[in-house]
Amino acid sequence: MLTLFHAPRSRSTRIIWLLEELGVPYQLRYVTIRYRDGSGEGPDAANPHPDKKVPALLDEQVLVTESAAVATFLADRASDGGLAPAIGDRDRGAYLTWLSWIEGEFGPAIGARLGAIEGEIPPAFAAALTRIERALADGPWLLGARFSAADVMLGGTLGWAHQLMPNDGVIPAYLARLTERPAFQRAMARDAVPA
């Protein structure tokens, strides 16, 4: 059984969404973390992540951490879910590139934008938005007509940084398509610790 160690309103929320898209059985273990704004209870001894962050995914005895690694692992593991182009597929390279770019380039570009003085748009952030817009021009998804785990990962990132995104154009339209997905709705319902 897959176990996702999860903290509400965090990077692991998009992994819940991915699990829901894949339709695989899993259990959630809610853990505490220290959030970027300083809130939260801090490290949780029950969290197997080496840095006590989320996501952390346990598949029997296999621990996978870091968002892109977890997404790659899950989408490949549940290959019948259709969210990862197979090795040798013409879309595989673009898919892996997007997964790495979202974490390695887009996340830091958002950080630069958050750290910029009001009204300033860092070049890395502007370039990142242009890259996304260019990809979605052929959409409706990052791989054209093919929805993938890369869309879940980008959608989760765009969702928490929505206040930095353009108000019109292809990016908000893409976000609207993503949030209409039934798996997204189920994931949002599971995000918070049950009362």
Side-chain angles (χ1 to χ4, degrees), residues 3-87:
T3 302
L4 177 66
F5 292 82
H6 167 67
R9 303 173 341 276
S10 72
R11 291 174 175 265
S12 58
T13 300
R14 59 192 171 168
I15 303 301
I16 298 174
W17 177 13
L18 180 58
L19 287 160
E20 291 292 331
E21 290 282 358
L22 290 168
V24 296
Y26 69 98
Q27 63 183 359
L28 283 179
R29 290 274 310 271
Y30 293 91
V31 294
T32 59
I33 60 168
R34 176 77 57 207
Y35 289 91
R36 180 180 218 154
D37 65 3
S39 66
E41 298 177 31
D44 190 326
N47 186 348
H49 190 294
D51 301 319
K52 303 301 182 199
K53 296 179 181 181
V54 291
L57 179 77
L58 195 58
D59 181 7
E60 301 299 327
Q61 300 299 316
V62 177
L63 177 66
V64 184
T65 65
E66 310 314 317
S67 295
V70 172
T72 303
F73 179 86
L74 285 172
D76 283 348
R77 182 183 183 276
S79 59
D80 57 342
L83 297 187
I87 293 172

Side-chain angles (χ1 to χ4, degrees), residues 76-99:
D76 283 348
R77 182 183 183 276
S79 59
D80 57 342
L83 297 187
I87 293 172
D89 185 294
R90 66 177 181 80
D91 288 335
R92 181 72 177 189
Y95 164 75
L96 292 173
T97 298
W98 277 114
L99 286 177

Side-chain angles (χ1 to χ4, degrees), residues 108-122 125 163-164:
I110 291 171
R113 174 66 177 89
L114 289 170
I117 59 174
E118 190 171 336
E120 179 187 347
I121 306 296
F125 183 75
Q163 73 280 7
L164 304 175

